[in-house]
Amino acid sequence: METSTDTKLTSEHLETAERDHPDVGIQNEKPLDDDEDRAPEARGREAATIDKSYRLSARFLGSMAAIGLGFCGGTGGYALIAPVLGEINNDLGPSPNVTWVGIVYVLSEAVFFALVGKLSDIFGRRWFFIIGSLIGVVGSIVGATAQNINTLIGSEVLIGISAAFQISFFWVISEIVPMRWRYLANSYAYMITIPTNPLAAKIAFTFQKTLIKWRGSFWFITGVNALSAICWYLFYHPPTFKMLHRKKLAKDLLLHFDWVGLLLYTGGLLIFLLGLNWGGALYVLVGTIKRVAANSTRYPWTDGHVIGCLVAGGVILFICFPAWELLLPFKNVEPFLPLYLFTNVSYQACCWLTGIGAGCYYGFSLVWPQAVASLYTLSYDRQGTLAGLAAMGFVFGQMFGGIMGTVIGPRTSIISTMWIAAPVLMAAAADPLNMKLTMGLIITGAFFIGASEAQAAVSSTFSLRTQEELGTAGGLAGAIRSFVSVVAVAIYSTVLTNRRGQTIPRYVTPAVEEAGLPASSVPALLSGLAGQGALSASSVPGLTAAINATAVEAYRHANAEAYKTIFFTSFAFGGAGMILVWFVSSNDKSKENYVAGHVHDPRQAKALEAAES
């Protein structure tokens, strides 16, 4: 409940903001935004100028709820569906297009991240995030009522677009809390995602036991997204367009917007990522490999579809887009992405570290559930529990990372956690068949790389030349994060497919032939072991109980050898992270009490918009 005292305090904020508006960041350059064009309430200020009651106000707490719930819905759109995608395919298909259910989520998210940040910096954030959650509501309803795989893919496109808004939480929270508390505030957001992130696999498997099965996950996300949209609408009132631009018209900003840069960036990124996902063999994102076809080959890496997308997308994204931004022929048009963000070493290091962390998260979310089903003999319930261990360790690490960043400082913490995580994840290759050892190493590695990723994401908001570019910088950071994630998933999927293609024939074929199985029956046996057919004497001529036991044991060893390669591959990302951490700068403590933004009382919006500087 807002009080009359709050109205008085807001007017005082207008006066103090005029006197106290430091340029925040390690680079002491003049901000791009024209301060005189902003209403005082739309500018940053010192925390001391904000009354303590503001932190307990409905608008602040409600905004924090909206951010947390939105993040919860955004992560659930992927994490609740991936573990049971095999069962979904059995119900609605089977369809070879099922692999695109997970792919389009990441692609949509990656393309829209920077767009959300840039446009909300210019036009105000409120309606962007309301609409973002509403898109999530529509997408999850479409998914819950889908009758075929193509409809399900369409739902994930909408959910992925929505996630670009919702997973922008780290810079939206950073805008409304003092800089010193940004790490802890983000830990709160990670805690909200416990049902849709670390416990997602368990919840998804539990829904499978109900009458509505996997549709329950979609209905659950629908409720979360709807509640988020309500909170955004009722409580989140950041500076409006008129408060951000008292001397400019929307039509002028639209006319002078870098539409060509936007087209080159989004088009190049989308085409390039499509090429990455079309190449090689992609695994279905499922909790158990035994319930669905093991893989779905799209195109060879040498195919024209793949090469054409990679070359065209790469030329547009890495050559045409930078060239256009550098040589922008229109003097009154600001580049879509400020060029200094690409030369800001600390910012770039933080962005790519978040990508490395997310790449491990998505990669191990894909690989580990398959390893659980392929390597260990477990009940369906226990598979559901263990399948989520990697994600669980990662998210709990993200929560703990906020505490570490606040207590001991982010730079020291980012360095130490990454240097622990990378070797530990690689060490999981020691003996994949030793379940306890492998689980312990993966959980530990995921925990520390999660802690590193969370702190890097928040640290990326500190090294900007002005905090008024939080949306633009945060959007680019999110896009880089998604880009690396897509690369990681493509690499992990291709390596696993190729290695299994080598190790399974090498270990299984000689073992079963020596046990007495006719060579002509080996292909049917391999299909059965992969979950693509039955393991019976009628479907596999010559199969006996003894031969079947031999085959299963050889198949486990073949998979163990393949997963060893995956764990070694993880060091390609972790090793890069061990180098990047040294380029992260320490935060400027003199700015730790600075608050970049504010959520105002909606009853005062007109007065704030009309306030004179």
Side-chain angles (χ1 to χ4, degrees), residues 174-521:
S174 294
E175 191 170 48
I176 62 176
V177 300
M179 296 180 77
R180 65 181 300 183
W181 300 120
R182 286 180 178 180
Y183 296 95
L184 282 180
N186 277 270
S187 291
Y188 143 79
Y190 292 120
M191 290 178 62
I192 299 296
T193 68
I194 288 177
T196 60
N197 215 340
L199 297 183
K202 183 66 174 178
I203 290 176
F205 275 63
T206 302
F207 271 125
Q208 283 298 107
K209 298 179 181 180
T210 67
L211 292 176
I212 56 176
K213 299 176 70 175
W214 53 269
R215 298 182 190 274
S217 294
F218 278 108
W219 286 122
F220 176 64
I221 301 168
T222 301
V224 173
N225 285 329
L227 187 56
S228 173
I230 292 171
C231 288
W232 285 118
Y233 180 79
L234 292 178
F235 303 113
Y236 186 61
H237 295 276
T240 64
F241 176 81
K242 290 184 178 180
M243 293 168 62
L244 293 171
H245 307 285
R246 292 183 296 174
K247 301 179 181 179
K248 296 177 183 176
L249 298 176
K251 65 177 183 180
D252 293 328
L253 291 173
L254 289 171
L255 182 64
H256 297 136
F257 186 77
D258 184 12
W259 296 106
V260 175
L262 169 63
L263 180 63
L264 291 173
Y265 169 80
T266 56
L269 180 62
L270 179 60
I271 295 170
F272 187 80
L273 293 181
L274 278 173
L276 281 176
N277 282 284
W278 264 338
L282 292 175
Y283 266 76
V284 177
L285 309 180
V286 294
T288 167
I289 199 173
K290 295 181 180 179
R291 289 178 169 79
V292 66
N295 58 33
S296 175
T297 303
R298 308 304 296 174
Y299 297 103
W301 286 109
T302 55
D303 188 90
H305 295 80
V306 178
I307 295 175
C309 283
L310 290 177
V311 173
V315 169
I316 295 171
L317 182 62
F318 301 116
I319 298 178
C320 295
F321 173 64
W324 172 263
E325 299 293 87
L326 284 169
L327 305 173
L328 196 61
F330 307 111
K331 295 182 179 179
N332 56 352
V333 174
E334 183 183 321
F336 175 67
L337 292 175
L339 297 179
Y340 92 92
L341 292 176
F342 296 95
T343 59
N344 185 330
V345 175
S346 180
Y347 169 78
Q348 284 292 319
C350 289
C351 290
W352 290 95
L353 283 170
T354 64
I356 288 171
C360 288
Y361 167 72
Y362 283 107
F364 276 83
S365 293
L366 165 68
V367 167
W368 176 244
Q370 297 178 44
V372 169
S374 300
L375 303 179
Y376 315 122
T377 303
L378 302 168
S379 67
Y380 186 72
D381 284 345
R382 188 149 172 75
Q383 281 189 38
T385 300
L386 298 188
L389 287 180
M392 189 178 299
F394 187 83
V395 177
F396 283 126
Q398 289 176 315
M399 298 178 198
F400 185 69
I403 300 173
M404 294 181 67
T406 303
V407 175
I408 68 176
R411 187 174 190 274
T412 300
S413 182
I414 290 173
I415 293 172
S416 59
T417 51
M418 180 59 74
W419 274 71
I420 294 173
V424 168
L425 283 175
M426 183 177 65
D431 185 8
L433 291 175
N434 186 329
M435 185 175 70
K436 292 183 178 180
L437 173 64
T438 305
M439 283 195 308
L441 291 170
I442 286 177
I443 293 172
T444 303
F447 178 88
F448 282 105
I449 206 163
S452 178
E453 188 269 349
Q455 294 175 83
V458 180
S459 294
S460 70
T461 67
F462 278 77
S463 58
L464 309 178
R465 64 181 176 185
T466 169
Q467 293 293 294
E468 291 168 4
E469 291 178 337
L470 266 178
T472 301
L476 177 58
I480 291 174
R481 183 182 189 273
S482 292
F483 176 83
V484 179
S485 299
V486 173
V487 173
V489 168
I491 290 175
Y492 282 127
S493 299
T494 302
V495 169
L496 183 57
T497 299
N498 292 340
R499 281 294 291 157
R500 291 180 81 250
Q502 296 169 354
T503 59
I504 290 175
R506 181 187 305 164
Y507 284 89
V508 177
T509 300
V512 296
E513 289 181 348
E514 183 177 343
L517 185 73
S520 60
S521 298

Side-chain angles (χ1 to χ4, degrees), residues 70-132:
F71 184 30
C72 184
T75 56
Y78 174 89
L80 283 171
I81 309 307
V84 293
L85 195 55
E87 284 80 354
I88 296 175
N89 193 35
N90 290 337
D91 287 346
L92 301 182
S95 169
N97 295 327
V98 69
T99 54
W100 287 95
V101 173
I103 293 170
V104 296
Y105 170 89
V106 181
L107 290 177
S108 301
E109 181 185 270
V111 169
F112 276 82
F113 256 128
L115 184 62
V116 171
K118 179 69 174 182
L119 292 182
S120 67
D121 268 352
I122 297 173
F123 297 102
R125 311 211 192 281
R126 175 173 156 77
W127 283 103
F128 277 92
F129 288 96
I130 293 173
I131 293 172

